[in-house]
Amino acid sequence: MATLPIPVKFSLHPSTSFLQFQFQSKSQTITFPRKINVVCSASEQSQKRQKQQNPTKKKESIDDGEKGIDPVGFLTKRGITHKAFGQFLRERYKSLKDLKDEILNRHMNLKEMSSGFEILGMHRHPEHRVDYMEWAPGARYCALIGDFNGLSPTENCAREGHFGRDDYGYWFIILEDKLREGEEPDKLYFQQYNYVDDYDKGDSGVTIEEIFKKANDEYWEPGEDRYLKNRLEVPAKLYEQIFGPNGPQTEEELEDIPDAETRYKAWTAHNEPTPYDVIDSGKEYDIFNVIVDPEWPEKILAKKPPIPYWFETRKGRKAWLKKYIPGIPHGSKYRVFFNTPNGPLERVPAWATYVEPDAEGRQAFAIHWEPTPEHAYKWKNTCPSVPTSLRIYECHVGISGSEPKISSFNEFTKQVLPHIKEAGYNAIQLFGVIEHKDYFTVGYRVTNFFAVSSRYGTPEDFKQLVDEAHGLGLLVFLEIVHSYAAADEMVGLSLFDGSNDCYFHTGKRGQHKYWGTRMFNYGDPDVLHFLLSNLNWWIVEYKIDGFQFHSLSSMIYTHNGFASFTGDLEEYCNQYVDKDALLYLILANEILHALYPNIITIAEDATFYPGLCEATSQGGLGFDYYVNLSVSEMWSSLLENVPDHEWSMSKIVDTLMSNREYADKRLVYAENHNQSISGGRSFAEILFGELNEHSPNYKDSLTRGSSLYKMIRLSTFAIGGRAFLNFMGNEFGHPKRVEFPTPSNEFSYSLANRQWDLLAKDGVNRDLISFDKDMMVLDENERVLSRGFSNIHHVNENSMVISYIRGPLLFIFNFHPTNSYGSYSVGADEAGEYQIILNTDEVKYGGQGCIKEDQYIHKTISRRVDGLRNCLEVPLPSRTAQVYKLKRILRI
């Protein structure tokens, strides 16, 4: 496009790589980033201009942004005083500011910092090519090898010092598409293609010259392009003005020409100064202040670039396929080849989005995933809104089928998602989805962080799973493992570029103390770039609604959490705490919640680090929920080690209500996959696993197991917490544990599935799923989880009865194995009429039906019990629980 006839100053900003155009009459700067695919709003562009015009005001803007920030704010709110921990929080905040400054020296903003997937890895470029970028600072040579180039390490390469590697260790390789036989190269070297549409404006047959002429004719106002169309008019007029119409034609005929200042003064003596005169202030450098008519900059800035004409030069997918053969076709296998000080290496690219092992399972290749438009998945549903309470269904795709095999994304979508919706849950949490080498690791030893596991299907299949879940109103959470990585070298990140410190710490610090996995170096900005981009990738590419961060204690402490904790705050700020890991978690929560306000982040930390769910501006880590891990451990211990009559009611209440001040941030579960997978037994296996239909006590044992199973789930669900989690199959008491195929079981899949067929048979499993559905309905109708704290007013160790009030609901549990009470007194806050709305002893739930329908409604008695003014006298069979709702208030 032609240049504007206005004096401007051109400069290349050294740190931001932006070309700046500055009009000299005003302090205005227009920036055009080199990445043309970034779209910013007008307000964002204005803020960028102001930031670049006034770099000296950076400190002032930071101070303005720090209003309302208190590094020890949550300590003050909780009334906690601890000098060492408070000082640690202040130093951590200072380190966070320094880290952000370091990041902003290399990235435009934190959004760009967390969007590395836009340029790293394999990407199709509009100019009929594919760009590949990889971070490997320890390598000296980088090349792509695969079936597309005959595994040649020299055909597609980049060498250090040859425009292939920058100072930070990022390698850049271009894979040009190949011209088909008989086709001519494009006339425009910058010819672009639209790879999505078969037909585009560029296929209309209009020539480039016609498009440019049309752009100039419609873009410029009359007279503005006068000097563009007649480029010799200005020098000809100037020559005639100086020398006259019959001026000299050769150098010999020229006389001595006065200097420019003398000629300028002589000219201004007869003419008024123009608005474009250059005024030299006497300074020695060759930059002059140019006086410009103020209307000109406003007029030019008001113009919109003729982008539609630029896009009109683009050609469509049909024209591209007619002229070119893709340099790397869809489905091609490839690896990255490095030459390092220790010799040549082949690795699976760190940013690969699809990875598939070969037939023997020993070596993996990345798969170039670029499906045609007709095969690419098209999203149909929008993400559902976040509910006030979360009922999360935890699941593993591979074991979700009934057959002894690895199930697929498509099978899960068709068979399991409808069951989850029918069961009353409003969110699913997937684990084991991200690519991992060994199936028996359950997905926790991740090898390829940007790839869905190929053993379940393709990226398009996973998109369909997420989309169908959204269509059913289910949120989709992903359990993310950023606390460690697989130690595998051929597939994973370990020794990726030949050096031991590429992504991880060196020495013992880089190895997990017990699990043999590699520990990330969270103090390296490029590692942060990788991990933060990974979080953003799953949201942008797959529309994930939230994350559960796995095993935070492994990353927060250098001892990986394998130490005894007394609760002293000193243990959370001593030399064993990894401050860099905490800074990463703070950055992750800040960026995720800033970019996606509805995102949900859940922390799994056995040590419950102080401030886990507090705002980052108040010294916290910024998570929305934390997992109460102690509850499932308590129930497992009681079921396996303690006789029923020795259960402690106080211990149950204390464990369920631990960290009461964070009850609105608590995610609770009676059992998750750990009880079923990690070498243990599920509660159903403990309660029902050894029952024999022909044994004399079969019926009593079955009633005991069913009763305790329902009471454990209801008490955990309703006593405290704003979110509840259930592992796949536990809602109907799946009778078997999960056992992945390993050498110890001769790689058997017999226990690596779920027995959905039990739901079609009469029996305890159908009874339990009926109860679980009604428990979910209870929350849907009465908002149990989203209500305030439970008021636990009755805990009796002798009668083994627990009672508490939550909103208008009164919960009563009788854990006694033998004693039933015909008229048991419990306190009630409001005088009125109470009705049973959920009873674990109903026949349809596999109970005995000891409470008849005419006993479902009770009126309070004006008698002080449990410190409350009123009481209810209710029937209470052994091993049962009832939920009463205040139906009518009596005014006294």
Side-chain angles (χ1 to χ4, degrees), residues 99-155:
L99 176 60
K100 289 181 178 179
D101 288 341
E102 183 179 359
I103 291 172
L104 294 177
N105 284 334
R106 291 175 53 182
H107 300 274
M108 184 170 61
N109 50 43
L110 292 178
K111 179 181 180 181
E112 185 188 78
M113 163 73 167
S114 60
S115 302
F117 54 85
E118 293 181 352
I119 57 174
L120 281 119
M122 196 81 76
H123 294 279
R124 166 73 46 191
H125 191 280
E127 296 178 7
H128 53 82
R129 72 178 200 234
V130 170
D131 294 343
Y132 174 78
M133 199 171 182
E134 190 69 77
W135 181 60
R140 295 177 177 176
Y141 177 90
C142 178
L144 286 176
I145 60 174
D147 50 16
F148 65 96
N149 64 5
L151 299 177
S152 171
T154 58
E155 184 172 339

Side-chain angles (χ1 to χ4, degrees), residues 238 242 256-270:
L238 181 62
I242 296 175
D256 292 338
I257 302 175
D259 62 89
E261 185 176 0
T262 302
R263 285 186 285 109
Y264 172 76
K265 291 180 179 179
W267 185 83
T268 54
H270 298 87

Side-chain angles (χ1 to χ4, degrees), residues 798-801 814 816 819-825 874-878:
N798 295 323
S799 61
M800 299 183 69
V801 173
N814 179 12
H816 204 286
N819 290 352
S820 297
Y821 309 101
S823 180
Y824 194 91
S825 297
V874 297
L876 204 54
S878 63

Side-chain angles (χ1 to χ4, degrees), residues 13-313:
H13 197 285
S15 61
T16 60
S17 297
F18 281 80
L19 191 61
Q20 299 181 349
F21 297 80
Q22 294 183 334
F23 292 102
Q24 299 300 307
S25 63
K26 288 188 175 182
S27 296
Q28 293 181 336
T29 303
I30 308 174
T31 60
F32 297 90
R34 292 175 175 173
K35 290 170 60 179
I36 62 173
N37 59 334
V38 177
V39 180
C40 299
S41 64
S43 61
E44 289 174 335
Q45 289 283 12
S46 175
Q47 291 172 2
K48 292 176 188 175
R49 288 198 294 269
Q50 293 174 5
K51 181 178 178 181
Q52 292 184 358
Q53 294 162 21
N54 305 304
T56 58
K57 293 186 178 181
K58 183 177 181 181
K59 177 66 177 177
E60 179 182 339
S61 63
I62 290 177
D63 292 339
D64 292 340
E66 290 179 359
K67 292 179 180 177
I69 294 180
D70 184 358
V72 295
F74 82 91
L75 293 181
T76 305
K77 182 176 70 172
R78 304 291 177 188
I80 301 173
T81 56
H82 194 281
K83 185 176 180 180
F85 189 70
Q87 182 63 26
F88 175 80
L89 292 180
R90 293 184 180 91
E91 291 175 356
R92 191 182 73 187
Y93 177 67
K94 183 179 181 301
S95 299
L96 179 64
K97 292 204 304 180
D98 294 340
L99 176 60
K100 289 181 178 179
D101 288 341
E102 183 179 359
I103 291 172
L104 294 177
N105 284 334
R106 291 175 53 182
H107 300 274
M108 184 170 61
N109 50 43
L110 292 178
K111 179 181 180 181
E112 185 188 78
M113 163 73 167
S114 60
S115 302
F117 54 85
E118 293 181 352
I119 57 174
L120 281 119
M122 196 81 76
H123 294 279
R124 166 73 46 191
H125 191 280
E127 296 178 7
H128 53 82
R129 72 178 200 234
V130 170
D131 294 343
Y132 174 78
M133 199 171 182
E134 190 69 77
W135 181 60
R140 295 177 177 176
Y141 177 90
C142 178
L144 286 176
I145 60 174
D147 50 16
F148 65 96
N149 64 5
L151 299 177
S152 171
T154 58
E155 184 172 339
N156 304 104
C157 63
R159 288 180 296 162
E160 185 176 3
H162 289 75
F163 194 62
R165 180 187 187 276
D166 68 6
D167 294 338
Y168 297 106
Y170 288 89
W171 296 86
F172 183 68
I173 299 175
I174 295 177
L175 304 175
E176 295 280 359
D177 293 337
K178 301 174 183 177
L179 271 174
R180 294 185 184 273
E181 186 176 354
E183 292 290 335
E184 296 291 331
D186 291 309
K187 292 182 180 179
L188 289 179
Y189 74 91
F190 54 81
Q191 178 66 60
Q192 294 188 351
Y193 288 87
N194 180 343
Y195 303 103
V196 177
D197 300 327
D198 278 343
Y199 177 81
D200 206 342
K201 294 180 179 180
D203 299 322
S204 61
V206 180
T207 65
I208 299 298
E209 292 76 11
E210 291 175 327
I211 294 175
F212 284 168
K213 182 178 182 303
K214 184 179 179 182
N216 282 330
D217 290 344
E218 296 188 10
Y219 187 71
W220 299 109
E221 295 182 10
E224 285 184 338
D225 60 344
R226 172 184 173 187
Y227 299 117
L228 302 178
K229 294 181 177 180
N230 303 280
R231 298 183 180 277
L232 297 179
E233 181 178 352
V234 172
K237 290 285 187 181
L238 181 62
Y239 183 84
E240 182 178 349
Q241 183 178 348
I242 296 175
F243 300 106
N246 299 316
Q249 302 299 315
T250 63
E251 291 186 10
E252 290 76 9
E253 296 178 9
L254 283 174
E255 302 176 356
D256 292 338
I257 302 175
D259 62 89
E261 185 176 0
T262 302
R263 285 186 285 109
Y264 172 76
K265 291 180 179 179
W267 185 83
T268 54
H270 298 87
N271 304 279
E272 295 182 359
T274 68
Y276 309 110
D277 290 346
V278 179
I279 309 300
D280 188 355
S281 60
K283 296 181 180 179
E284 297 179 357
Y285 51 82
D286 294 333
I287 297 180
F288 302 96
N289 295 323
V290 180
I291 301 175
V292 183
D293 183 354
E295 295 181 1
W296 274 93
E298 296 177 4
K299 192 174 184 180
I300 298 303
L301 289 176
K303 286 182 176 293
K304 294 182 179 179
I307 293 179
Y309 299 108
W310 177 266
F311 286 145
E312 199 168 342
T313 66

Side-chain angles (χ1 to χ4, degrees), residues 184-474:
E184 296 291 331
D186 291 309
K187 292 182 180 179
L188 289 179
Y189 74 91
F190 54 81
Q191 178 66 60
Q192 294 188 351
Y193 288 87
N194 180 343
Y195 303 103
V196 177
D197 300 327
D198 278 343
Y199 177 81
D200 206 342
K201 294 180 179 180
D203 299 322
S204 61
V206 180
T207 65
I208 299 298
E209 292 76 11
E210 291 175 327
I211 294 175
F212 284 168
K213 182 178 182 303
K214 184 179 179 182
N216 282 330
D217 290 344
E218 296 188 10
Y219 187 71
W220 299 109
E221 295 182 10
E224 285 184 338
D225 60 344
R226 172 184 173 187
Y227 299 117
L228 302 178
K229 294 181 177 180
N230 303 280
R231 298 183 180 277
L232 297 179
E233 181 178 352
V234 172
K237 290 285 187 181
L238 181 62
Y239 183 84
E240 182 178 349
Q241 183 178 348
I242 296 175
F243 300 106
N246 299 316
Q249 302 299 315
T250 63
E251 291 186 10
E252 290 76 9
E253 296 178 9
L254 283 174
E255 302 176 356
D256 292 338
I257 302 175
D259 62 89
E261 185 176 0
T262 302
R263 285 186 285 109
Y264 172 76
K265 291 180 179 179
W267 185 83
T268 54
H270 298 87
N271 304 279
E272 295 182 359
T274 68
Y276 309 110
D277 290 346
V278 179
I279 309 300
D280 188 355
S281 60
K283 296 181 180 179
E284 297 179 357
Y285 51 82
D286 294 333
I287 297 180
F288 302 96
N289 295 323
V290 180
I291 301 175
V292 183
D293 183 354
E295 295 181 1
W296 274 93
E298 296 177 4
K299 192 174 184 180
I300 298 303
L301 289 176
K303 286 182 176 293
K304 294 182 179 179
I307 293 179
Y309 299 108
W310 177 266
F311 286 145
E312 199 168 342
T313 66
R314 282 189 175 184
K315 297 184 178 181
R317 180 178 182 84
K318 186 183 295 184
W320 170 61
L321 291 175
K322 179 177 179 297
K323 184 179 284 288
Y324 292 100
I325 300 173
I328 176 169
H330 167 66
S332 298
K333 294 183 178 181
Y334 70 97
R335 292 169 68 88
V336 60
F337 175 89
F338 295 124
N339 195 357
T340 72
N342 297 323
L345 300 172
E346 290 184 21
R347 295 287 186 260
V348 173
W351 298 74
T353 59
Y354 191 42
V355 178
E356 190 174 89
D358 67 5
E360 286 78 24
R362 285 182 296 221
Q363 189 179 29
F365 281 89
I367 306 296
H368 178 53
W369 195 253
E370 188 185 359
T372 59
E374 56 269 21
H375 292 100
Y377 187 77
K378 297 176 178 59
W379 296 90
K380 298 178 295 185
N381 303 300
T382 58
C383 300
S385 58
V386 179
T388 55
S389 60
L390 292 175
R391 302 185 296 274
I392 304 172
Y393 194 91
E394 185 187 40
C395 33
H396 186 283
V397 172
I399 64 172
S400 63
S402 299
E403 300 179 14
K405 65 169 189 175
I406 299 177
S407 295
S408 66
F409 288 133
N410 290 335
E411 290 171 331
F412 183 91
T413 302
K414 295 176 184 177
Q415 300 169 12
V416 183
L417 282 182
H419 166 77
I420 298 172
K421 176 64 177 178
E422 183 184 356
Y425 292 85
N426 56 22
I428 63 173
Q429 181 169 297
L430 299 166
F431 66 98
V433 167
I434 304 174
E435 189 61 83
H436 49 287
K437 179 185 175 184
D438 299 315
Y439 186 50
F440 69 84
T441 64
V442 199
Y444 287 118
R445 297 187 181 183
V446 176
T447 52
N448 310 99
F449 285 79
F450 288 83
V452 295
S453 180
S454 59
R455 45 176 69 87
Y456 310 135
T458 68
E460 308 308 304
D461 296 336
F462 184 60
K463 289 178 182 178
Q464 183 180 12
L465 187 157
V466 176
D467 196 27
E468 292 296 331
H470 286 164
L472 293 173
L474 301 172

Side-chain angles (χ1 to χ4, degrees), residues 484-742:
Y484 50 82
D488 190 275
E489 298 174 12
M490 295 301 294
V491 185
L493 298 177
S494 185
L495 300 177
F496 182 71
D497 62 352
S499 63
N500 199 30
D501 59 349
C502 183
Y503 285 93
F504 309 106
H505 287 289
T506 58
K508 292 184 178 179
R509 180 78 181 277
Q511 304 285 339
H512 193 284
K513 193 173 182 179
Y514 293 101
W515 298 341
T517 49
R518 297 303 308 273
M519 307 305 297
F520 285 106
N521 180 8
Y522 303 100
D524 190 323
D526 293 292
V527 175
L528 293 180
H529 183 45
F530 177 83
L531 295 175
L532 293 172
S533 297
N534 184 237
L535 294 173
N536 198 10
W537 159 260
W538 290 103
I539 301 173
V540 172
E541 184 70 12
Y542 295 107
K543 300 186 184 297
I544 295 299
D545 302 298
F547 300 100
Q548 175 171 312
F549 286 73
H550 171 73
S551 187
L552 295 189
S553 56
S554 295
M555 60 189 291
I556 293 177
Y557 311 99
T558 57
H559 52 60
N560 305 130
F562 287 87
S564 59
F565 283 81
T566 64
D568 189 343
L569 286 178
E570 180 71 29
E571 297 167 338
Y572 302 101
C573 61
N574 58 24
Q575 70 272 25
Y576 301 110
V577 176
D578 188 345
K579 186 187 295 184
D580 293 329
L582 294 174
L583 296 181
Y584 161 68
L585 295 175
I586 294 172
L587 270 180
N589 278 297
E590 284 189 355
I591 292 174
L592 288 176
H593 287 94
L595 296 179
Y596 312 102
N598 294 325
I599 200 74
I600 300 295
T601 58
I602 304 169
E604 182 193 84
D605 176 23
T607 68
F608 192 67
Y609 192 86
L612 202 61
C613 294
E614 296 285 357
T616 57
S617 62
Q618 301 302 304
L621 300 186
F623 286 95
D624 297 299
Y625 294 91
Y626 77 95
V627 180
N628 190 348
L629 298 170
S630 59
V631 174
S632 59
E633 296 173 359
M634 174 198 68
W635 290 126
S636 295
S637 176
L638 290 176
L639 288 173
E640 293 191 298
N641 305 319
V642 183
D644 293 0
H645 63 277
E646 293 182 10
W647 285 18
S648 169
M649 300 298 103
S650 298
K651 179 181 179 180
I652 292 175
V653 170
D654 291 343
T655 305
L656 290 174
M657 290 299 294
S658 60
N659 300 308
R660 181 183 177 90
E661 63 273 19
Y662 292 102
D664 60 330
K665 302 289 187 179
R666 186 189 302 140
L667 185 151
V668 294
Y669 56 79
E671 58 177 332
N672 72 344
H673 69 272
N674 288 328
Q675 282 67 43
S676 301
I677 292 178
S678 302
R681 295 189 297 167
S682 67
F683 292 177
E685 189 172 10
I686 297 172
L687 293 169
F688 308 119
E690 299 178 359
L691 295 183
N692 186 346
E693 294 183 8
H694 305 290
S695 62
N697 298 323
Y698 170 74
K699 187 174 182 180
D700 292 340
S701 299
L702 187 66
T703 301
R704 169 189 176 269
S706 176
S707 299
L708 286 178
Y709 199 83
K710 289 176 288 185
M711 293 181 69
I712 287 172
R713 289 179 67 84
L714 179 60
S715 59
T716 305
F717 176 81
I719 200 169
R722 205 180 186 92
F724 176 78
L725 182 141
N726 168 77
F727 175 55
M728 178 174 58
N730 287 349
E731 71 277 10
F732 63 88
H734 194 277
K736 298 293 183 181
R737 66 188 182 279
V738 177
E739 192 174 279
F740 282 80
T742 60

